[in-house]
Amino acid sequence: MSALRVRHLLLPSSHRVFSTASRESTPEIRDVLQMRVKDAMRAKNTTASTTLRSILAEINTAEKVANSKISSSSIINIIRKASARRHDAAAQYTQAKRPDIAEKELAEASLLEEFLPPLLSSAEIDQKIEDVLTSLSLAPNDDPRKATGRIFKEFYTQVDRSLVDAELVKNRVNLALNAEKK
């Protein structure tokens, strides 16, 4: 039995380094990631363990920068960005005629996407934007940039940022504002 495992078994739960009772933020996704790393290590799946460890490292770095635990929506954003980076890398490797490495990057991206909730559809985003527009009293002579800012602020109080594609929301808000002007 390894020394680390023996130490873990011998220490009382109040002295363990990773106590589950001391976590303040929503730990669900973090705990799932840690369990999947352990499972991958037991199965000797180096690709999965390395990928998930890199995500946990990014989460820990973000927590150090923030000087506190980060929310699960921030963790989802980190995972979403890491998945996008891997898709971009795969496209570049494919362009450089390196399909073996591109395939590895795509496998890592698909592993990360297992942890992501589905994004809201355009119809759902449009419905939320319409709700926001009816709740806000926008005058026709309002500055369009200020109106857009108010719409975004109200929209994101109702919808978690990790559940939408920000570029799609921006385009849909601009379309909705242009439709109201006509």
Side-chain angles (χ1 to χ4, degrees), residues 73-85:
S73 68
S74 297
I75 292 173
I76 290 171
N77 282 334
I78 289 170
I79 295 171
R80 200 173 299 281
K81 288 177 184 176
S83 176
R85 280 196 309 267

Side-chain angles (χ1 to χ4, degrees), residues 12 18 39 57 96 123:
F18 300 110
D39 292 342

Side-chain angles (χ1 to χ4, degrees), residues 34-49:
Q34 289 173 340
M35 285 187 300
R36 290 285 302 271
V37 166
K38 290 176 186 176
D39 292 342
M41 290 171 68
R42 282 185 198 115
K44 300 193 185 328
N45 184 347
T46 56
T47 303
S49 66

